[in-house]
Structure formats: C-alpha cells, structure tokens
Amino acid sequence: MTDIRFGYTLMTEQAGPKDLVRFAVAAEERGFDFEVSSDHYFPWLSAQGHSPYAWSVLGAVAHATERVGLMTYVTCPTMRYHPAVVAQKAATLQLLADGRFTLGVGSGENLNEHVVGQGWPTVKTRQDMLAEAITIIRELHTGELVEHRGEYYDVPSARIWDLPEEGVDIAVAVGGEEAVQTLAPLADHLIATEPDKELIARWNSTEGAPQIEGGQARAVGQIPICWDTDEQRAVERAHEQFRWFAGGWAVNADLPTTMGFAGATQFVRPEDVAEAIPCGPDLDAVVEAVRPYWEAGFTDIALVQVGGQTQDDFLREAAEPLLDKLRAAAG
C-alpha cells in the first residue's frame, strides 16, 4: 500500500499573504507532508474576507519552507491566465521550490474567471480549453520554441528560458466520466474533492492515464475540518464561512459573485454544515471523516482548517496529535 501523505491547505480566501506564509512555515514544522494553495480572485463568501494572489504567496512559501511539497489546488490556466503565462510561472516556482512544486489545474469557476470579461463557457468547452492549455504548457516545458495555433489559443512564438531540470508535474481536477477520458491521459496526477473509489477506478482504466495504484501517479483529495476547543463555536464558524459547499459543484462552478453564493446558501442551517464537516475538539471524529479518502484509494489528503483566525491555535495545539492519529489509522 502506498504511504498516505497528509497536507495542509493555504486557504487564500480566509487569510492575507503574510499570514499564509507564516502558516505554511508552521505547518511544515508540525509535520505536514505537503501544502496546497487555492488560487482565487474572490472568496466564496464575504465572511472569509481575503483573496491575495496565490502565486506571489507560493513564491514566498517556497523560500520560507524547506521540505514540504507545494501545489496549486487549483489553478485555471484557460481564461484569467493564458496557458503560456501559467507555463512560465510554474517553471519559475519549481526552481524556487527546488523541485517540490506540482501544478494543479482545473476547468475553473465563474467566480474567479469572469473578472477578465470573456464570458463563461459550457462545461464541455471548459474541459476542451483545459486540455489544449495543458498541451501548450507541456510543449513550453520542453524548453523549445513553441508556435501553437489551436481551437482556443494562439501562441505565435514562445519559449520558457528558466526551466527546472526535473520538469513540473501536472495534476488535474476531474469528476465526470468525460472529463476523465479527456484529461487523464494528459496528466501526471489526479485531483478530486470527494472520496470516490469509482473515480479512481475510472482513471486507472482510461487508456493512456498514469496509474495510481501500483504506479507513480497520486490521487490528491481535500477535506474541510473546523477544529476548535468549543464545538458550538466551530459549528457557527463553519456555517458562516464554509456553507458555500452545499450547492455542489454543478452550482458552484457557475455562480459569479460572493453575493450569489450567499443567496444560494441562505437556507443552509448550521446543523447541515455540522453533518458534513467535523466541528469541535474531537480529533477522532476528524480521522473518521478523512478515512473514506484513503479507503477509496487516495494517496494524498489535504486538510482545510476553517477560519483564518483559528490557524495559529490549530497548528499549535491540534496539528501534531491529529497527524499522529491519522497516520496510525491509515497504517
């Protein structure tokens, strides 16, 4: 069985850039194996209150840390960022991180991509755009001069001059069967936010996809938790800041504003959130919430501690004993 790696999420929607770097250093010191960063232009809900530029933060984190893997979770390289630009900054970040960086990509959310005024395509179009974008990034990471004329992107003449020798692995967020068939053969690793065993089986059975079980590919999942010494306080905070998840991906990908998320989740109750997110001081409850991921075949699982103002307490008081429990349970 592949060793399970546990990660910490740099949630850019709930903390400013200097705090995020500080949290990253502390998370490495507490023993997390890797760190993932969201890449948003807007927070999901205004109560979260932040959204700094993830790539600047990750550059600082790369220099402030020494051991942990780093990853975007996830960048959309199709609208707000042109894929040729993503290829350049991913290569630069890999150099700064001394080989610890993985480029995590996905088809994006309207919330962040609408800001450049290019509209919001259908799901099928977004997936096709992502496939072409990955192809461009791969080509540029060869170091050769690239001239690309595709369905969605033109790259008249581009070359990346500073490239890491080890390259940059690309992890792709997928869900449905069509997305797996289109994107898995282009990726090095899988990203998903649900502990879906069938998804991993579908990935492994797709022609050209790198194998997760018994292969080099990793399946990277993520789960929110809301640790606090006071359970009721944790429930209230999770409801205030994280009830956005309740709409599901089909809804969340299309909403354009924080006000839209507030309206879409206005009838979600605190007890609804508490049923979905482990809240309070019980670390064993967190372990049981995470367990379905490794049982489904995920190799890497990142935790999201809800609430920017709680990170210092979580990292100081709960992180190490929680990691001990998770590693013991995962075997």
Side-chain angles (χ1 to χ4, degrees):
M1 179 179 177
T2 302
D3 289 339
I4 308 301
R5 304 198 312 166
F6 295 100
Y8 174 80
T9 299
L10 299 168
M11 197 75 174
T12 60
E13 299 91 324
Q14 63 182 20
K18 287 189 175 182
D19 283 338
L20 288 164
V21 176
R22 183 165 54 82
F23 300 155
V25 172
E28 180 178 66
E29 291 173 348
R30 297 301 181 270
F32 283 97
D33 300 307
F34 67 102
E35 299 177 4
V36 304
S37 172
S38 55
D39 185 357
H40 272 223
Y41 200 93
F42 275 81
W44 300 102
L45 294 166
S46 59
Q48 292 177 312
H50 295 274
S51 202
Y53 184 54
W55 289 84
S56 297
V57 173
L58 281 168
V61 168
H63 259 217
T65 59
E66 298 178 354
R67 174 187 56 79
V68 286
L70 302 175
M71 182 178 183
T72 48
Y73 201 98
V74 294
T75 284
C76 176
T78 62
M79 297 182 68
R80 183 166 42 116
Y81 308 136
H82 190 282
V85 176
V86 174
Q88 182 190 36
K89 58 189 180 182
T92 298
L93 187 52
Q94 185 70 300
L95 289 168
L96 290 170
D98 294 322
R100 293 181 285 133
F101 176 64
T102 297
L103 174 61
V105 297
S107 57
E109 304 102 36
N110 196 7
L111 177 69
N112 305 301
E113 306 310 313
H114 80 272
V115 299
V116 294
Q118 294 183 4
W120 187 234
T122 64
V123 172
K124 176 63 167 63
T125 298
R126 299 198 305 268
Q127 291 174 355
D128 289 344
M129 292 173 72
L130 179 58
E132 186 175 336
I134 294 171
T135 299
I136 292 169
I137 293 167
R138 295 282 197 197
E139 290 175 352
L140 284 165
H141 282 175
T142 66
E144 300 296 324
L145 184 69
V146 172
E147 295 183 5
H148 174 94
R149 182 173 292 275
E151 184 174 358
Y152 301 103
Y153 305 104
D154 287 338
V155 183
S157 176
R159 177 185 173 188
I160 306 299
W161 291 86
D162 291 278
L163 279 171
E165 291 184 5
E166 62 275 88
V168 182
D169 277 9
I170 298 177
V172 181
V174 295
E177 183 173 353
E178 189 169 347
V180 173
Q181 291 177 351
T182 300
L183 298 168
L186 303 174
D188 296 300
H189 310 289
L190 162 70
I191 291 174
T193 55
E194 298 290 336
D196 185 351
K197 186 175 183 178
E198 294 304 315
L199 174 62
I200 291 181
R202 193 179 307 128
W203 174 286
N204 282 331
S205 65
T206 299
E207 185 177 356
Q211 296 298 292
I212 293 168
E213 186 174 353
Q216 296 300 312
R218 307 191 74 88
V220 188
Q222 186 185 59
I223 180 172
I225 67 172
C226 196
W227 176 88
D228 198 295
T229 55
D230 184 285
E231 182 176 353
Q232 186 57 39
R233 186 168 58 208
V235 170
E236 291 172 357
R237 185 173 66 251
H239 178 257
E240 177 192 46
Q241 297 195 21
F242 236 79
R243 68 183 185 276
W244 56 267
F245 78 92
W249 191 248
V251 173
N252 291 352
D254 286 336
L255 291 174
T257 65
T258 53
M259 291 182 62
F261 277 93
T265 59
Q266 62 182 312
F267 298 115
V268 177
R269 304 169 300 172
E271 53 266 38
D272 298 327
V273 176
E275 287 180 4
I277 298 175
C279 296
D282 187 352
L283 299 182
D284 291 324
V286 174
V287 172
E288 292 311 304
V290 176
R291 182 185 299 276
Y293 284 85
W294 70 70
E295 290 183 342
F298 281 77
T299 61
D300 298 55
I301 308 159
L303 307 180
V304 182
Q305 165 63 10
V306 175
Q309 73 276 24
T310 70
Q311 302 301 311
D312 288 317
D313 288 343
F314 169 74
L315 290 165
R316 182 177 56 251
E317 299 179 30
E320 289 185 75
L322 176 57
L323 285 170
D324 287 343
K325 286 178 175 289
L326 286 167
R327 288 173 178 137

